[in-house]
Amino acid sequence: MKNVLIASTHNSRGLSSEHPALFKRANLTTTVIAHPKYKPYAGRDVSHWINGSDNPDLVITQIAKLVTDSPDAFDWIILGDDNLVRAVATSAISDALKTRIGPVQNAQYIDLQKGKSAASTVLSSLGFQVAPFRICQQIADIPNAIAAIGLPAIVKPDHSLGSEGVIICKTQDDVTACLGQCREGAYIVEKYIIGKQVRIDPLFFNGELVACNSSLMLGMIRGDLGVSTARGVVSAAPYMEFLKKLGATLKLHGMMNIGVLHEGGGKDFHIFEMDCRPNGYPCQIKRFENDFAEAILAYQRPDFDARRFLSPDNNKIARNFERDMIYNARKGNIKGMLAWLFNEDRRWECLPLHDPRLMLFTLWLVIKGIVGGAFRKLMKALKVMR
């Protein structure tokens, strides 16, 4: 294994993170295909650049041509965001190309990549425990779905937007209010299970589990919902057999992001989300004794054992600088912002200090998020005053 292709559109987790640095440590060369406007923000460990588009369908067509023209050019193709994962599943290209490009290599289960409802449907049909759910093709179907599942329930748009548009309904009044907040489109309604929320970040090659980090969601941008600002590393060992079965059945290839809930803190769990693309935490958790780069190198040796590359239960915390700074700024939490300045709890180890260009891009995202949030708040206040 030598060459990696990362495809990115506007909401990609692949380009603006340390994945190319991780791959370099694993002796892999990274090529990025993305709109040229993102090129100034690519880190120094991107070896090659291919101009792409922000239209996911066009990017999938472009990748399909690259793979057809040069079948051996890339050993690993990573679709860096949910739009691309969905686009490859709905594309008109052949199943052979879909399984070559996409993270699900078993053609029978490609539909899992189409959205949240498709993922829950496929996983449930395979006998995996998922949160009880109903699929709603239009907003008017939501009340009946909630009535069937029972309160509390959680209403999610069928596509992933970092929890944007996700609504928790605990009372009948919440259900009524929810209908006014939903936009046209398909939704999935799930039973809102209260318990320990764990994010599982596994890496698979050709259906085989290679490595896995697991972490507790500690800081959330939107209360019980939203993207996390911090995660506490926990042992991935309890999830190994589940992941081995999942990977072998779907023949998964690449980095995944799976959310599970342990109701009441017990050992049993329900899957509430499965995203077939990477996120940034595996790049940061290397400081906590489980390095995906080492796992990729070890995988190519005959004595490979995935049990060596499961995150340990060591009570350490990985933090996302961009999200944490924006969250603290919005809350007016000066102490939380200063914690980064003074490197409390070794926070600087979560920063891409090895790559000045990527670090500048990260700072730009923080400034953009803080200024943008303040501007939106100002516009809302002016609108109310009128």
Side-chain angles (χ1 to χ4, degrees):
M1 181 179 293
K2 294 181 179 179
N3 300 310
V4 179
L5 174 68
I6 300 178
S8 300
T9 58
H10 67 278
N11 75 335
S12 175
R13 280 80 169 173
L15 180 59
S16 61
S17 69
E18 296 180 72
H19 289 101
L22 185 157
F23 299 146
K24 184 176 182 180
R25 288 188 289 107
N27 296 332
L28 303 177
T29 299
T30 300
T31 298
V32 168
I33 178 169
H35 193 287
K37 65 185 177 183
Y38 302 120
K39 193 170 185 179
Y41 312 122
R44 66 182 182 183
D45 295 309
V46 173
S47 300
H48 306 290
W49 184 277
I50 299 174
N51 287 338
S53 165
D54 260 346
N55 183 317
D57 294 315
L58 293 180
V59 174
I60 294 302
T61 300
Q62 191 174 5
I63 296 173
K65 187 176 188 308
L66 286 172
V67 171
T68 302
D69 292 347
S70 303
D72 300 323
F74 303 105
D75 304 295
W76 182 8
I77 298 171
I78 297 174
L79 304 181
D81 58 70
D82 301 289
N83 290 337
L84 286 169
V85 171
R86 179 192 289 250
V88 76
T90 58
S91 172
I93 62 177
S94 68
D95 282 354
L97 276 174
K98 288 181 180 181
T99 55
R100 171 69 179 92
I101 295 170
V104 177
Q105 294 187 334
N106 186 332
Q108 186 178 352
Y109 302 117
I110 289 174
D111 280 357
L112 177 138
Q113 301 170 168
K114 290 182 177 179
K116 295 182 184 297
S117 61
S120 292
T121 300
V122 170
L123 292 172
S124 178
S125 71
L126 292 171
F128 293 103
Q129 284 287 98
V130 300
F133 69 97
R134 295 289 188 279
I135 299 169
C136 303
Q137 296 302 329
Q138 51 190 4
I139 296 174
D141 298 333
I142 292 175
N144 287 338
I146 293 176
I149 289 176
L151 294 171
I154 185 165
V155 180
K156 303 177 181 179
D158 197 30
H159 57 288
S160 178
L161 284 173
S163 87
E164 184 179 334
V166 177
I167 303 165
I168 295 175
C169 296
K170 297 181 179 179
T171 68
Q172 198 57 45
D173 288 342
D174 291 340
V175 177
T176 304
C178 164
L179 300 180
Q181 298 175 51
C182 292
R183 300 175 183 176
E184 288 300 324
Y187 281 81
I188 179 171
V189 176
E190 296 176 348
K191 183 69 177 175
Y192 182 50
I193 299 171
I194 299 172
K196 182 175 69 174
Q197 184 180 154
V198 178
R199 285 286 176 169
I200 305 171
D201 297 306
L203 169 63
F204 297 95
F205 286 141
N206 302 310
E208 183 178 0
L209 180 65
V210 175
C212 179
N213 286 316
S214 298
S215 48
L216 288 171
M217 304 286 273
L218 298 181
M220 305 289 283
I221 286 182
R222 300 185 187 95
D224 291 340
L225 304 172
V227 293
S228 58
T229 64
R231 295 186 182 183
V233 180
V234 296
S235 172
Y239 306 105
M240 184 171 183
E241 294 307 314
F242 152 67
L243 292 171
K244 287 170 66 177
K245 180 181 177 182
L246 184 71
T249 303
L250 301 175
K251 201 175 181 185
L252 296 175
H253 191 76
M255 295 182 184
M256 310 290 149
N257 178 18
I258 302 168
V260 301
L261 277 166
H262 293 260
E263 188 170 9
K267 292 183 179 180
D268 294 336
F269 58 86
H270 291 78
I271 305 170
F272 70 89
E273 189 169 53
M274 179 172 173
D275 296 326
C276 297
R277 46 81 181 159
N279 66 55
Y281 281 102
C283 297
Q284 297 169 338
I285 293 178
K286 64 180 182 293
R287 60 185 271 242
F288 303 136
E289 302 158 25
N290 192 38
D291 190 346
F292 275 26
E294 293 178 4
I296 293 170
L297 289 168
Y299 176 73
Q300 300 175 72
R301 297 195 292 265
D303 62 344
F304 172 73
D305 183 354
R307 287 173 294 186
R308 293 169 49 201
F309 300 100
L310 302 178
S311 61
D313 195 354
N314 57 17
N315 299 314
K316 296 182 180 179
I317 299 174
R319 301 181 187 275
N320 185 296
F321 172 68
E322 174 198 348
R323 297 174 185 172
D324 199 37
M325 288 292 283
I326 293 172
Y327 175 76
N328 286 321
R330 290 176 181 173
K331 294 291 184 180
N333 184 4
I334 303 300
K335 184 178 179 181
M337 299 175 75
L338 289 175
W340 282 98
L341 179 63
F342 294 108
N343 191 25
E344 288 186 13
D345 303 322
R346 297 164 53 199
R347 294 174 188 232
W348 290 2
E349 293 185 29
C350 293
L351 297 173
L353 296 175
H354 65 282
D355 189 337
R357 197 156 125 186
L358 185 56
M359 187 64 223
L360 285 173
F361 177 52
T362 304
L363 289 171
W364 177 81
L365 289 175
V366 170
I367 294 168
K368 178 185 174 185
I370 293 174
V371 173
F375 180 77
R376 286 191 295 272
K377 188 178 289 187
L378 176 62
M379 291 297 101
K380 187 176 180 180
L382 291 174
K383 187 176 180 180
V384 171
M385 289 174 64
R386 290 175 188 171

